[in-house]
Amino acid sequence: MSLLLEVDVTSSVPVFEQIRLQVVAHVAAGRLAPGDHLPTIRALATDLGVAAGTVARAYRELETEGVVTTRRRAGTTVAPGVTSADAAGQHAARVYVDTARAAGLSDEAALTLVRGALMRPEREQDAQVRRERPTGSATQPSSRNATNPMTAGAATP
């Protein structure tokens, strides 16, 4: 399995975190499955042009999260029991990425929007959804005669 990772040394995100996030993303996308081997620390560090300690830190963080396991002589592998994200979440993510790219957003700008949305209190998000829902939709009964299902939506004489 060839693990395709890229790092941006000019990014505000530390390189070890970029590596960690990309490995997690590969697992979530199903490109890495339990038991798949990751490159050795030295090999990945050489490929990416970073210090071996940087890759080692990323691998340690991944191991702490339970994403990978590391054993002497066996190397680092995706941990058993680690599964890809649920299908609905993957689909929503793909739709968002497609929409963001079609709008001309950079990957960093798209991630910034997601981080901002995640920081909003849940109550505020619910209120925003209610404000965006069109009035008189099937999910919102009209206040006119709404208590009687036989007359709901009927004009009041």
Side-chain angles (χ1 to χ4, degrees), residues 63-103:
E63 190 162 21
T64 299
E65 294 172 19
V67 176
V68 301
T69 58
T70 302
R71 292 193 177 79
R72 287 198 183 273
R73 297 194 184 255
T76 303
T77 59
V78 177
V82 174
T83 59
S84 62
D86 66 291
Q90 286 180 3
H91 176 72
R94 280 193 301 271
V95 169
Y96 175 71
V97 167
D98 291 346
T99 303
R101 287 187 175 152

PDB file of all heavy atoms in Angstrom, residues 63-103:
ATOM      1  N   GLU A  63      -0.962   6.564  17.641  1.00  0.00           N
ATOM      2  CA  GLU A  63      -1.035   5.393  18.517  1.00  0.00           C
ATOM      3  C   GLU A  63      -1.823   5.725  19.786  1.00  0.00           C
ATOM      4  O   GLU A  63      -2.650   4.925  20.236  1.00  0.00           O
ATOM      5  CB  GLU A  63       0.368   4.901  18.865  1.00  0.00           C
ATOM      6  CG  GLU A  63       0.356   3.569  19.568  1.00  0.00           C
ATOM      7  CD  GLU A  63       1.708   2.880  19.521  1.00  0.00           C
ATOM      8  OE1 GLU A  63       2.734   3.537  19.313  1.00  0.00           O
ATOM      9  OE2 GLU A  63       1.706   1.652  19.723  1.00  0.00           O
ATOM     10  N   THR A  64      -1.616   6.916  20.326  1.00  0.00           N
ATOM     11  CA  THR A  64      -2.358   7.347  21.512  1.00  0.00           C
ATOM     12  C   THR A  64      -3.854   7.390  21.229  1.00  0.00           C
ATOM     13  O   THR A  64      -4.671   7.034  22.080  1.00  0.00           O
ATOM     14  CB  THR A  64      -1.873   8.743  21.968  1.00  0.00           C
ATOM     15  OG1 THR A  64      -0.484   8.655  22.294  1.00  0.00           O
ATOM     16  CG2 THR A  64      -2.646   9.240  23.169  1.00  0.00           C
ATOM     17  N   GLU A  65      -4.227   7.795  20.013  1.00  0.00           N
ATOM     18  CA  GLU A  65      -5.636   7.858  19.609  1.00  0.00           C
ATOM     19  C   GLU A  65      -6.211   6.481  19.281  1.00  0.00           C
ATOM     20  O   GLU A  65      -7.419   6.345  19.080  1.00  0.00           O
ATOM     21  CB  GLU A  65      -5.798   8.740  18.365  1.00  0.00           C
ATOM     22  CG  GLU A  65      -5.481  10.188  18.598  1.00  0.00           C
ATOM     23  CD  GLU A  65      -5.457  10.982  17.304  1.00  0.00           C
ATOM     24  OE1 GLU A  65      -6.019  10.503  16.295  1.00  0.00           O
ATOM     25  OE2 GLU A  65      -4.882  12.070  17.295  1.00  0.00           O
ATOM     26  N   GLY A  66      -5.348   5.470  19.182  1.00  0.00           N
ATOM     27  CA  GLY A  66      -5.818   4.130  18.857  1.00  0.00           C
ATOM     28  C   GLY A  66      -5.996   3.883  17.372  1.00  0.00           C
ATOM     29  O   GLY A  66      -6.591   2.882  16.968  1.00  0.00           O
ATOM     30  N   VAL A  67      -5.460   4.773  16.550  1.00  0.00           N
ATOM     31  CA  VAL A  67      -5.588   4.623  15.096  1.00  0.00           C
ATOM     32  C   VAL A  67      -4.585   3.611  14.563  1.00  0.00           C
ATOM     33  O   VAL A  67      -4.880   2.855  13.642  1.00  0.00           O
ATOM     34  CB  VAL A  67      -5.421   5.986  14.384  1.00  0.00           C
ATOM     35  CG1 VAL A  67      -5.442   5.835  12.873  1.00  0.00           C
ATOM     36  CG2 VAL A  67      -6.489   6.967  14.844  1.00  0.00           C
ATOM     37  N   VAL A  68      -3.381   3.593  15.148  1.00  0.00           N
ATOM     38  CA  VAL A  68      -2.335   2.669  14.705  1.00  0.00           C
ATOM     39  C   VAL A  68      -1.749   1.940  15.907  1.00  0.00           C
ATOM     40  O   VAL A  68      -1.921   2.361  17.051  1.00  0.00           O
ATOM     41  CB  VAL A  68      -1.190   3.392  13.945  1.00  0.00           C
ATOM     42  CG1 VAL A  68      -1.711   4.116  12.721  1.00  0.00           C
ATOM     43  CG2 VAL A  68      -0.426   4.336  14.849  1.00  0.00           C
ATOM     44  N   THR A  69      -1.082   0.851  15.625  1.00  0.00           N
ATOM     45  CA  THR A  69      -0.297   0.143  16.634  1.00  0.00           C
ATOM     46  C   THR A  69       1.117  -0.008  16.094  1.00  0.00           C
ATOM     47  O   THR A  69       1.321  -0.190  14.891  1.00  0.00           O
ATOM     48  CB  THR A  69      -0.876  -1.251  16.956  1.00  0.00           C
ATOM     49  OG1 THR A  69      -0.933  -2.005  15.750  1.00  0.00           O
ATOM     50  CG2 THR A  69      -2.262  -1.156  17.553  1.00  0.00           C
ATOM     51  N   THR A  70       2.090   0.073  16.988  1.00  0.00           N
ATOM     52  CA  THR A  70       3.486  -0.056  16.586  1.00  0.00           C
ATOM     53  C   THR A  70       4.112  -1.178  17.406  1.00  0.00           C
ATOM     54  O   THR A  70       3.994  -1.198  18.630  1.00  0.00           O
ATOM     55  CB  THR A  70       4.249   1.261  16.823  1.00  0.00           C
ATOM     56  OG1 THR A  70       3.605   2.302  16.088  1.00  0.00           O
ATOM     57  CG2 THR A  70       5.694   1.157  16.366  1.00  0.00           C
ATOM     58  N   ARG A  71       4.760  -2.100  16.701  1.00  0.00           N
ATOM     59  CA  ARG A  71       5.453  -3.209  17.355  1.00  0.00           C
ATOM     60  C   ARG A  71       6.830  -3.336  16.718  1.00  0.00           C
ATOM     61  O   ARG A  71       6.972  -3.221  15.500  1.00  0.00           O
ATOM     62  CB  ARG A  71       4.672  -4.507  17.172  1.00  0.00           C
ATOM     63  CG  ARG A  71       3.354  -4.504  17.924  1.00  0.00           C
ATOM     64  CD  ARG A  71       2.761  -5.907  17.993  1.00  0.00           C
ATOM     65  NE  ARG A  71       1.538  -5.908  18.760  1.00  0.00           N
ATOM     66  CZ  ARG A  71       0.353  -5.505  18.297  1.00  0.00           C
ATOM     67  NH1 ARG A  71       0.242  -5.073  17.071  1.00  0.00           N
ATOM     68  NH2 ARG A  71      -0.711  -5.549  19.073  1.00  0.00           N
ATOM     69  N   ARG A  72       7.785  -3.608  17.571  1.00  0.00           N
ATOM     70  CA  ARG A  72       9.132  -3.823  17.044  1.00  0.00           C
ATOM     71  C   ARG A  72       9.101  -4.948  16.017  1.00  0.00           C
ATOM     72  O   ARG A  72       8.377  -5.914  16.165  1.00  0.00           O
ATOM     73  CB  ARG A  72      10.093  -4.193  18.174  1.00  0.00           C
ATOM     74  CG  ARG A  72      10.425  -3.029  19.063  1.00  0.00           C
ATOM     75  CD  ARG A  72      11.680  -3.361  19.859  1.00  0.00           C
ATOM     76  NE  ARG A  72      12.014  -2.310  20.781  1.00  0.00           N
ATOM     77  CZ  ARG A  72      12.763  -1.254  20.463  1.00  0.00           C
ATOM     78  NH1 ARG A  72      13.228  -1.123  19.240  1.00  0.00           N
ATOM     79  NH2 ARG A  72      13.026  -0.347  21.357  1.00  0.00           N
ATOM     80  N   ARG A  73       9.854  -4.790  14.993  1.00  0.00           N
ATOM     81  CA  ARG A  73       9.992  -5.744  13.884  1.00  0.00           C
ATOM     82  C   ARG A  73       8.749  -5.837  13.015  1.00  0.00           C
ATOM     83  O   ARG A  73       8.838  -6.143  11.853  1.00  0.00           O
ATOM     84  CB  ARG A  73      10.407  -7.133  14.376  1.00  0.00           C
ATOM     85  CG  ARG A  73      11.760  -7.145  15.027  1.00  0.00           C
ATOM     86  CD  ARG A  73      12.231  -8.579  15.165  1.00  0.00           C
ATOM     87  NE  ARG A  73      13.475  -8.626  15.873  1.00  0.00           N
ATOM     88  CZ  ARG A  73      14.647  -8.847  15.287  1.00  0.00           C
ATOM     89  NH1 ARG A  73      14.708  -9.054  14.002  1.00  0.00           N
ATOM     90  NH2 ARG A  73      15.740  -8.875  16.011  1.00  0.00           N
ATOM     91  N   ALA A  74       7.563  -5.586  13.563  1.00  0.00           N
ATOM     92  CA  ALA A  74       6.339  -5.653  12.758  1.00  0.00           C
ATOM     93  C   ALA A  74       6.021  -4.292  12.149  1.00  0.00           C
ATOM     94  O   ALA A  74       5.284  -4.203  11.169  1.00  0.00           O
ATOM     95  CB  ALA A  74       5.169  -6.130  13.607  1.00  0.00           C
ATOM     96  N   GLY A  75       6.546  -3.226  12.743  1.00  0.00           N
ATOM     97  CA  GLY A  75       6.313  -1.880  12.230  1.00  0.00           C
ATOM     98  C   GLY A  75       5.007  -1.277  12.717  1.00  0.00           C
ATOM     99  O   GLY A  75       4.406  -1.738  13.693  1.00  0.00           O
ATOM    100  N   THR A  76       4.563  -0.271  12.019  1.00  0.00           N
ATOM    101  CA  THR A  76       3.347   0.446  12.385  1.00  0.00           C
ATOM    102  C   THR A  76       2.242   0.045  11.428  1.00  0.00           C
ATOM    103  O   THR A  76       2.400   0.120  10.215  1.00  0.00           O
ATOM    104  CB  THR A  76       3.581   1.969  12.333  1.00  0.00           C
ATOM    105  OG1 THR A  76       4.666   2.293  13.207  1.00  0.00           O
ATOM    106  CG2 THR A  76       2.350   2.738  12.751  1.00  0.00           C
ATOM    107  N   THR A  77       1.108  -0.383  12.003  1.00  0.00           N
ATOM    108  CA  THR A  77      -0.034  -0.801  11.196  1.00  0.00           C
ATOM    109  C   THR A  77      -1.296  -0.109  11.697  1.00  0.00           C
ATOM    110  O   THR A  77      -1.360   0.356  12.839  1.00  0.00           O
ATOM    111  CB  THR A  77      -0.252  -2.331  11.281  1.00  0.00           C
ATOM    112  OG1 THR A  77      -0.474  -2.692  12.647  1.00  0.00           O
ATOM    113  CG2 THR A  77       0.928  -3.105  10.728  1.00  0.00           C
ATOM    114  N   VAL A  78      -2.298  -0.048  10.829  1.00  0.00           N
ATOM    115  CA  VAL A  78      -3.596   0.482  11.232  1.00  0.00           C
ATOM    116  C   VAL A  78      -4.173  -0.486  12.254  1.00  0.00           C
ATOM    117  O   VAL A  78      -4.150  -1.706  12.055  1.00  0.00           O
ATOM    118  CB  VAL A  78      -4.540   0.643  10.018  1.00  0.00           C
ATOM    119  CG1 VAL A  78      -5.914   1.127  10.468  1.00  0.00           C
ATOM    120  CG2 VAL A  78      -3.941   1.619   9.013  1.00  0.00           C
ATOM    121  N   ALA A  79      -4.661   0.054  13.361  1.00  0.00           N
ATOM    122  CA  ALA A  79      -5.129  -0.757  14.477  1.00  0.00           C
ATOM    123  C   ALA A  79      -6.349  -1.587  14.101  1.00  0.00           C
ATOM    124  O   ALA A  79      -7.191  -1.140  13.324  1.00  0.00           O
ATOM    125  CB  ALA A  79      -5.453   0.138  15.667  1.00  0.00           C
ATOM    126  N   PRO A  80      -6.450  -2.789  14.671  1.00  0.00           N
ATOM    127  CA  PRO A  80      -7.654  -3.591  14.447  1.00  0.00           C
ATOM    128  C   PRO A  80      -8.856  -2.881  15.051  1.00  0.00           C
ATOM    129  O   PRO A  80      -8.751  -2.218  16.073  1.00  0.00           O
ATOM    130  CB  PRO A  80      -7.373  -4.902  15.176  1.00  0.00           C
ATOM    131  CG  PRO A  80      -6.065  -4.762  15.857  1.00  0.00           C
ATOM    132  CD  PRO A  80      -5.491  -3.444  15.530  1.00  0.00           C
ATOM    133  N   GLY A  81      -9.979  -3.015  14.415  1.00  0.00           N
ATOM    134  CA  GLY A  81     -11.196  -2.395  14.934  1.00  0.00           C
ATOM    135  C   GLY A  81     -11.398  -0.965  14.481  1.00  0.00           C
ATOM    136  O   GLY A  81     -12.450  -0.391  14.705  1.00  0.00           O
ATOM    137  N   VAL A  82     -10.408  -0.370  13.831  1.00  0.00           N
ATOM    138  CA  VAL A  82     -10.569   0.981  13.311  1.00  0.00           C
ATOM    139  C   VAL A  82     -11.351   0.874  12.015  1.00  0.00           C
ATOM    140  O   VAL A  82     -10.998   0.116  11.122  1.00  0.00           O
ATOM    141  CB  VAL A  82      -9.200   1.661  13.057  1.00  0.00           C
ATOM    142  CG1 VAL A  82      -9.372   2.994  12.390  1.00  0.00           C
ATOM    143  CG2 VAL A  82      -8.447   1.832  14.364  1.00  0.00           C
ATOM    144  N   THR A  83     -12.448   1.610  11.932  1.00  0.00           N
ATOM    145  CA  THR A  83     -13.289   1.545  10.734  1.00  0.00           C
ATOM    146  C   THR A  83     -13.363   2.907  10.080  1.00  0.00           C
ATOM    147  O   THR A  83     -13.088   3.931  10.701  1.00  0.00           O
ATOM    148  CB  THR A  83     -14.715   1.088  11.082  1.00  0.00           C
ATOM    149  OG1 THR A  83     -15.267   2.010  12.026  1.00  0.00           O
ATOM    150  CG2 THR A  83     -14.716  -0.312  11.673  1.00  0.00           C
ATOM    151  N   SER A  84     -13.789   2.916   8.853  1.00  0.00           N
ATOM    152  CA  SER A  84     -13.967   4.177   8.157  1.00  0.00           C
ATOM    153  C   SER A  84     -15.179   4.897   8.726  1.00  0.00           C
ATOM    154  O   SER A  84     -16.032   4.300   9.372  1.00  0.00           O
ATOM    155  CB  SER A  84     -14.134   3.943   6.657  1.00  0.00           C
ATOM    156  OG  SER A  84     -15.282   3.176   6.423  1.00  0.00           O
ATOM    157  N   ALA A  85     -15.238   6.175   8.490  1.00  0.00           N
ATOM    158  CA  ALA A  85     -16.362   6.976   8.985  1.00  0.00           C
ATOM    159  C   ALA A  85     -17.659   6.457   8.377  1.00  0.00           C
ATOM    160  O   ALA A  85     -17.660   5.789   7.349  1.00  0.00           O
ATOM    161  CB  ALA A  85     -16.154   8.443   8.607  1.00  0.00           C
ATOM    162  N   ASP A  86     -18.759   6.783   9.018  1.00  0.00           N
ATOM    163  CA  ASP A  86     -20.035   6.294   8.503  1.00  0.00           C
ATOM    164  C   ASP A  86     -20.302   6.863   7.108  1.00  0.00           C
ATOM    165  O   ASP A  86     -19.817   7.925   6.738  1.00  0.00           O
ATOM    166  CB  ASP A  86     -21.173   6.643   9.455  1.00  0.00           C
ATOM    167  CG  ASP A  86     -21.409   8.132   9.550  1.00  0.00           C
ATOM    168  OD1 ASP A  86     -20.543   8.847  10.104  1.00  0.00           O
ATOM    169  OD2 ASP A  86     -22.449   8.587   9.057  1.00  0.00           O
ATOM    170  N   ALA A  87     -21.053   6.124   6.334  1.00  0.00           N
ATOM    171  CA  ALA A  87     -21.288   6.470   4.932  1.00  0.00           C
ATOM    172  C   ALA A  87     -21.949   7.828   4.776  1.00  0.00           C
ATOM    173  O   ALA A  87     -21.596   8.596   3.876  1.00  0.00           O
ATOM    174  CB  ALA A  87     -22.130   5.394   4.265  1.00  0.00           C
ATOM    175  N   ALA A  88     -22.896   8.166   5.644  1.00  0.00           N
ATOM    176  CA  ALA A  88     -23.574   9.460   5.533  1.00  0.00           C
ATOM    177  C   ALA A  88     -22.601  10.603   5.766  1.00  0.00           C
ATOM    178  O   ALA A  88     -22.634  11.615   5.061  1.00  0.00           O
ATOM    179  CB  ALA A  88     -24.727   9.537   6.530  1.00  0.00           C
ATOM    180  N   GLY A  89     -21.722  10.441   6.732  1.00  0.00           N
ATOM    181  CA  GLY A  89     -20.717  11.473   7.003  1.00  0.00           C
ATOM    182  C   GLY A  89     -19.749  11.627   5.847  1.00  0.00           C
ATOM    183  O   GLY A  89     -19.375  12.743   5.470  1.00  0.00           O
ATOM    184  N   GLN A  90     -19.336  10.497   5.267  1.00  0.00           N
ATOM    185  CA  GLN A  90     -18.436  10.551   4.115  1.00  0.00           C
ATOM    186  C   GLN A  90     -19.111  11.249   2.946  1.00  0.00           C
ATOM    187  O   GLN A  90     -18.489  12.070   2.265  1.00  0.00           O
ATOM    188  CB  GLN A  90     -18.016   9.140   3.699  1.00  0.00           C
ATOM    189  CG  GLN A  90     -17.014   8.504   4.616  1.00  0.00           C
ATOM    190  CD  GLN A  90     -16.633   7.107   4.148  1.00  0.00           C
ATOM    191  OE1 GLN A  90     -17.084   6.637   3.110  1.00  0.00           O
ATOM    192  NE2 GLN A  90     -15.795   6.440   4.911  1.00  0.00           N
ATOM    193  N   HIS A  91     -20.377  10.932   2.719  1.00  0.00           N
ATOM    194  CA  HIS A  91     -21.105  11.552   1.614  1.00  0.00           C
ATOM    195  C   HIS A  91     -21.228  13.061   1.840  1.00  0.00           C
ATOM    196  O   HIS A  91     -20.979  13.856   0.923  1.00  0.00           O
ATOM    197  CB  HIS A  91     -22.489  10.926   1.467  1.00  0.00           C
ATOM    198  CG  HIS A  91     -23.326  11.587   0.420  1.00  0.00           C
ATOM    199  ND1 HIS A  91     -23.064  11.448  -0.927  1.00  0.00           N
ATOM    200  CD2 HIS A  91     -24.393  12.419   0.516  1.00  0.00           C
ATOM    201  CE1 HIS A  91     -23.941  12.172  -1.617  1.00  0.00           C
ATOM    202  NE2 HIS A  91     -24.763  12.763  -0.758  1.00  0.00           N
ATOM    203  N   ALA A  92     -21.589  13.460   3.057  1.00  0.00           N
ATOM    204  CA  ALA A  92     -21.729  14.884   3.363  1.00  0.00           C
ATOM    205  C   ALA A  92     -20.394  15.607   3.169  1.00  0.00           C
ATOM    206  O   ALA A  92     -20.357  16.721   2.633  1.00  0.00           O
ATOM    207  CB  ALA A  92     -22.242  15.072   4.786  1.00  0.00           C
ATOM    208  N   ALA A  93     -19.315  14.977   3.570  1.00  0.00           N
ATOM    209  CA  ALA A  93     -17.993  15.584   3.409  1.00  0.00           C
ATOM    210  C   ALA A  93     -17.645  15.752   1.928  1.00  0.00           C
ATOM    211  O   ALA A  93     -17.126  16.796   1.523  1.00  0.00           O
ATOM    212  CB  ALA A  93     -16.936  14.742   4.121  1.00  0.00           C
ATOM    213  N   ARG A  94     -17.935  14.716   1.133  1.00  0.00           N
ATOM    214  CA  ARG A  94     -17.649  14.813  -0.310  1.00  0.00           C
ATOM    215  C   ARG A  94     -18.472  15.916  -0.966  1.00  0.00           C
ATOM    216  O   ARG A  94     -17.957  16.678  -1.794  1.00  0.00           O
ATOM    217  CB  ARG A  94     -17.920  13.468  -0.990  1.00  0.00           C
ATOM    218  CG  ARG A  94     -16.808  12.455  -0.819  1.00  0.00           C
ATOM    219  CD  ARG A  94     -16.976  11.274  -1.752  1.00  0.00           C
ATOM    220  NE  ARG A  94     -18.222  10.574  -1.568  1.00  0.00           N
ATOM    221  CZ  ARG A  94     -18.415   9.564  -0.726  1.00  0.00           C
ATOM    222  NH1 ARG A  94     -17.426   9.122  -0.004  1.00  0.00           N
ATOM    223  NH2 ARG A  94     -19.599   8.985  -0.627  1.00  0.00           N
ATOM    224  N   VAL A  95     -19.748  16.013  -0.597  1.00  0.00           N
ATOM    225  CA  VAL A  95     -20.609  17.058  -1.153  1.00  0.00           C
ATOM    226  C   VAL A  95     -20.077  18.431  -0.765  1.00  0.00           C
ATOM    227  O   VAL A  95     -20.002  19.339  -1.597  1.00  0.00           O
ATOM    228  CB  VAL A  95     -22.076  16.872  -0.683  1.00  0.00           C
ATOM    229  CG1 VAL A  95     -22.928  18.084  -1.028  1.00  0.00           C
ATOM    230  CG2 VAL A  95     -22.664  15.615  -1.311  1.00  0.00           C
ATOM    231  N   TYR A  96     -19.675  18.586   0.496  1.00  0.00           N
ATOM    232  CA  TYR A  96     -19.143  19.876   0.946  1.00  0.00           C
ATOM    233  C   TYR A  96     -17.865  20.240   0.185  1.00  0.00           C
ATOM    234  O   TYR A  96     -17.717  21.374  -0.283  1.00  0.00           O
ATOM    235  CB  TYR A  96     -18.874  19.871   2.454  1.00  0.00           C
ATOM    236  CG  TYR A  96     -18.205  21.147   2.889  1.00  0.00           C
ATOM    237  CD1 TYR A  96     -18.911  22.346   2.904  1.00  0.00           C
ATOM    238  CD2 TYR A  96     -16.859  21.178   3.229  1.00  0.00           C
ATOM    239  CE1 TYR A  96     -18.298  23.541   3.255  1.00  0.00           C
ATOM    240  CE2 TYR A  96     -16.240  22.352   3.573  1.00  0.00           C
ATOM    241  CZ  TYR A  96     -16.966  23.531   3.595  1.00  0.00           C
ATOM    242  OH  TYR A  96     -16.343  24.707   3.929  1.00  0.00           O
ATOM    243  N   VAL A  97     -16.957  19.280   0.056  1.00  0.00           N
ATOM    244  CA  VAL A  97     -15.700  19.549  -0.652  1.00  0.00           C
ATOM    245  C   VAL A  97     -15.985  19.934  -2.104  1.00  0.00           C
ATOM    246  O   VAL A  97     -15.409  20.903  -2.625  1.00  0.00           O
ATOM    247  CB  VAL A  97     -14.748  18.331  -0.569  1.00  0.00           C
ATOM    248  CG1 VAL A  97     -13.586  18.469  -1.542  1.00  0.00           C
ATOM    249  CG2 VAL A  97     -14.240  18.169   0.851  1.00  0.00           C
ATOM    250  N   ASP A  98     -16.863  19.204  -2.762  1.00  0.00           N
ATOM    251  CA  ASP A  98     -17.208  19.527  -4.154  1.00  0.00           C
ATOM    252  C   ASP A  98     -17.794  20.931  -4.256  1.00  0.00           C
ATOM    253  O   ASP A  98     -17.448  21.696  -5.151  1.00  0.00           O
ATOM    254  CB  ASP A  98     -18.201  18.508  -4.719  1.00  0.00           C
ATOM    255  CG  ASP A  98     -17.583  17.129  -4.911  1.00  0.00           C
ATOM    256  OD1 ASP A  98     -16.346  17.006  -4.871  1.00  0.00           O
ATOM    257  OD2 ASP A  98     -18.371  16.165  -5.085  1.00  0.00           O
ATOM    258  N   THR A  99     -18.680  21.274  -3.321  1.00  0.00           N
ATOM    259  CA  THR A  99     -19.314  22.591  -3.328  1.00  0.00           C
ATOM    260  C   THR A  99     -18.287  23.684  -3.051  1.00  0.00           C
ATOM    261  O   THR A  99     -18.280  24.721  -3.734  1.00  0.00           O
ATOM    262  CB  THR A  99     -20.439  22.645  -2.267  1.00  0.00           C
ATOM    263  OG1 THR A  99     -21.376  21.604  -2.549  1.00  0.00           O
ATOM    264  CG2 THR A  99     -21.151  23.983  -2.283  1.00  0.00           C
ATOM    265  N   ALA A 100     -17.429  23.458  -2.084  1.00  0.00           N
ATOM    266  CA  ALA A 100     -16.408  24.451  -1.729  1.00  0.00           C
ATOM    267  C   ALA A 100     -15.447  24.684  -2.893  1.00  0.00           C
ATOM    268  O   ALA A 100     -15.102  25.822  -3.212  1.00  0.00           O
ATOM    269  CB  ALA A 100     -15.640  23.996  -0.490  1.00  0.00           C
ATOM    270  N   ARG A 101     -15.043  23.615  -3.543  1.00  0.00           N
ATOM    271  CA  ARG A 101     -14.115  23.762  -4.677  1.00  0.00           C
ATOM    272  C   ARG A 101     -14.804  24.437  -5.860  1.00  0.00           C
ATOM    273  O   ARG A 101     -14.197  25.259  -6.544  1.00  0.00           O
ATOM    274  CB  ARG A 101     -13.551  22.403  -5.068  1.00  0.00           C
ATOM    275  CG  ARG A 101     -12.538  21.925  -4.031  1.00  0.00           C
ATOM    276  CD  ARG A 101     -11.827  20.687  -4.447  1.00  0.00           C
ATOM    277  NE  ARG A 101     -10.801  20.379  -3.452  1.00  0.00           N
ATOM    278  CZ  ARG A 101     -10.370  19.171  -3.195  1.00  0.00           C
ATOM    279  NH1 ARG A 101     -10.828  18.146  -3.878  1.00  0.00           N
ATOM    280  NH2 ARG A 101      -9.446  18.973  -2.279  1.00  0.00           N
ATOM    281  N   ALA A 102     -16.078  24.108  -6.093  1.00  0.00           N
ATOM    282  CA  ALA A 102     -16.820  24.752  -7.182  1.00  0.00           C
ATOM    283  C   ALA A 102     -16.970  26.250  -6.913  1.00  0.00           C
ATOM    284  O   ALA A 102     -17.007  27.050  -7.846  1.00  0.00           O
ATOM    285  CB  ALA A 102     -18.196  24.103  -7.339  1.00  0.00           C
ATOM    286  N   ALA A 103     -17.016  26.620  -5.640  1.00  0.00           N
ATOM    287  CA  ALA A 103     -17.120  28.034  -5.270  1.00  0.00           C
ATOM    288  C   ALA A 103     -15.763  28.731  -5.297  1.00  0.00           C
ATOM    289  O   ALA A 103     -15.677  29.936  -5.055  1.00  0.00           O
ATOM    290  CB  ALA A 103     -17.743  28.165  -3.880  1.00  0.00           C
TER     291      ALA A 103
END
